[in-house]
Amino acid sequence: MLAGGVGGARFVRGVREEVRRRWPDGGGRSEASFRRAQDSAVTVVVNTGDDLWLAGVRLMPDFDSLLYSLAGVNDAERGWGRAGETERVAAELREWGVGWPWFTLGDLDLGTHLARTSWLREGLTPSQVGERLQRRWPLGVRLIPATDSEVDTHVLVADPDAPGGRRELHFQEWWTRHRATLPALAFEQRNIDDACPAPGVVEAIATADLVLFAPSNPVVSIGTILSIPGIRDALAETRAPVVGVSPIIAGKVVRGMADACLPVIGVETSAEAVGRHYGARASGGLLDGWLVDETDAPAVASLEGAGLVARSVPLWMRDLETSAALAGAAIDLGAALRPAGS
Ligand code: GDP
Ligand code: CA
């Protein structure tokens, strides 16, 4: 699965649940080998475009959103960070003028960042660090950062006061401080052309039975993963069906601000336009199947005209049940797309 943070976490929880329900006995394996099999039955390739250095530590927001959410230690009400979080260190950092005053790092969350940074300092790669972080909680899925290279997303905005009339800021500043309200001219993934997929990413895509695109931000989550050299080729070559889930329902983002990103790359905010943007594998695109919401059912016929096998199903993930049902629909579509005998 390719995934970003919030939409990604909801969907991954649904997939984990649905996979457990459909294959409950793990094919008669022993408990230990079953747990290992389950841990690796679902591999999530996680967006790293939001990552950044701040206050001396490395943050990987989408990875941590997935980690906390799958471990059940996330703050479900607020929608990000750890449950039971406190902010004593953040108050001190503010007094020292370190970090960004509008970007609060919770105390428990800082523990994660300190652990990660100390392991990076010891020479571990981000994907090795990710593996260590997952040892603490049995997630039931395997998370891999899409790349070990730092490809932090920057946003080019118009600024009449800046030299040349434009300036660049880190994605997190644009997203969190400005709530994506500064009109963006372009997104830039720094050094992405020199990046390569983290170990295990291409292998996971190549050997998968099914590849899923979570309903994550098509530009700054899925788009970043796709722009890492090697990932598009792996998707083009895999024998597995590739099925995507629309993050757009009835012309609106469900949660978040993806509608501030799509126009920047010239894509309309609609389930149909995003499906066409990913494109059909049969004609050089990325997907075989595309799930749109029931309210977008009228788009199905024209999506099929574009070479995609589209289905309309309920796309709102309100709780574990609705997330699992959506995962089930994606798995079913994948099964229907699998060539006979494979
Ligand atoms: P971020 O990294 O936290 O921005 O999260 P993602 O990139 O994973 O996901 C953001 C996208 O998830 C937004 O474009 C939302 O429209 C989408 N999303 C959030 N909740 C839902 C949901 O319940 N259903 C669907 N279909 N999409 C959702
Ligand atoms: Ca994100």
Side-chain angles (χ1 to χ4, degrees):
M1 203 172 336
L2 313 188
V6 171
R10 282 175 185 262
F11 188 62
V12 176
R13 284 179 78 146
V15 170
R16 178 178 67 176
E17 180 65 19
E18 189 62 17
V19 166
R20 279 179 181 160
R21 289 180 190 175
R22 290 193 184 200
W23 296 280
D25 68 354
R29 293 185 177 87
S30 72
E31 176 68 23
S33 85
F34 173 49
R35 185 144 315 135
R36 270 198 306 279
Q38 235 188 5
D39 272 350
S40 55
V42 178
T43 299
V44 186
V45 176
V46 183
N47 173 40
T48 56
D50 301 14
D51 300 0
L52 72 160
W53 286 97
L54 190 69
V57 292
R58 185 70 174 157
L59 315 188
M60 298 182 71
D62 285 2
F63 189 94
D64 290 349
S65 290
L66 283 158
L67 179 74
Y68 297 158
S69 170
L70 291 161
V73 299
N74 59 310
D75 186 329
E77 222 150 276
R78 195 171 50 166
W80 53 276
R82 293 281 298 269
E85 187 61 286
T86 51
E87 296 175 356
R88 296 193 66 192
V89 178
E92 280 297 293
L93 288 173
R94 220 165 273 139
E95 290 299 323
W96 291 117
V98 166
W100 286 329
W102 40 266
F103 197 90
T104 303
L105 299 170
D107 298 331
L108 297 175
D109 198 28
L110 268 166
T112 309
H113 307 323
L114 286 170
R116 172 168 31 238
T117 307
S118 80
W119 289 327
L120 289 173
R121 288 258 167 90
E122 284 170 23
L124 268 63
T125 60
S127 53
Q128 289 167 337
V129 168
E131 223 179 285
R132 284 226 184 151
L133 290 170
Q134 289 170 78
R135 283 188 205 156
R136 180 168 173 195
W137 295 294
L139 299 183
V141 306
R142 179 167 64 126
L143 306 180
I144 316 182
T147 176
D148 280 333
S149 312
E150 292 183 8
V151 295
D152 308 14
T153 304
H154 286 71
V155 187
L156 189 66
V157 298
D159 180 353
D161 300 330
R166 35 180 63 193
R167 84 187 151 95
E168 234 178 41
L169 54 168
H170 191 283
F171 173 75
Q172 290 296 351
E173 185 172 5
W174 180 72
W175 189 254
T176 307
R177 182 184 194 181
H178 299 290
R179 311 297 306 160
T181 53
L182 294 180
L185 304 171
F187 296 102
E188 195 213 357
Q189 273 84 35
R190 293 244 167 113
N191 307 319
I192 194 119
D193 295 336
D194 302 325
C196 59
V201 170
V202 168
E203 293 80 352
I205 294 171
T207 60
D209 300 308
L210 171 64
V211 178
L212 297 173
F213 285 22
S216 289
N217 190 312
V219 187
V220 294
S221 293
I222 303 291
T224 306
I225 299 173
L226 294 173
S227 55
I228 296 161
I231 293 195
R232 272 178 182 273
D233 289 345
L235 288 165
E237 284 159 23
T238 183
R239 286 168 50 89
V242 182
V243 172
V245 180
S246 172
I248 309 296
I249 298 180
K252 290 202 173 62
V253 285
V254 184
R255 299 176 180 88
M257 304 174 282
D259 48 343
C261 303
L262 284 165
V264 181
I265 61 159
V267 176
E268 188 194 311
T269 304
S270 76
E272 179 174 352
V274 174
R276 285 176 178 273
H277 164 66
Y278 287 140
R281 275 217 292 178
S283 47
L286 296 155
L287 298 175
D288 301 305
W290 184 234
L291 290 179
V292 302
D293 188 64
E294 288 171 317
T295 56
D296 290 310
V300 166
S302 98
L303 282 161
E304 302 224 319
L308 289 166
V309 178
R311 297 263 190 286
S312 60
V313 299
L315 285 200
W316 265 91
M317 297 179 285
R318 295 170 207 281
D319 49 28
L320 190 57
E321 276 316 307
T322 47
S323 298
L326 177 55
I331 294 170
D332 288 342
L333 180 52
L337 291 168
R338 198 164 295 131
S342 70

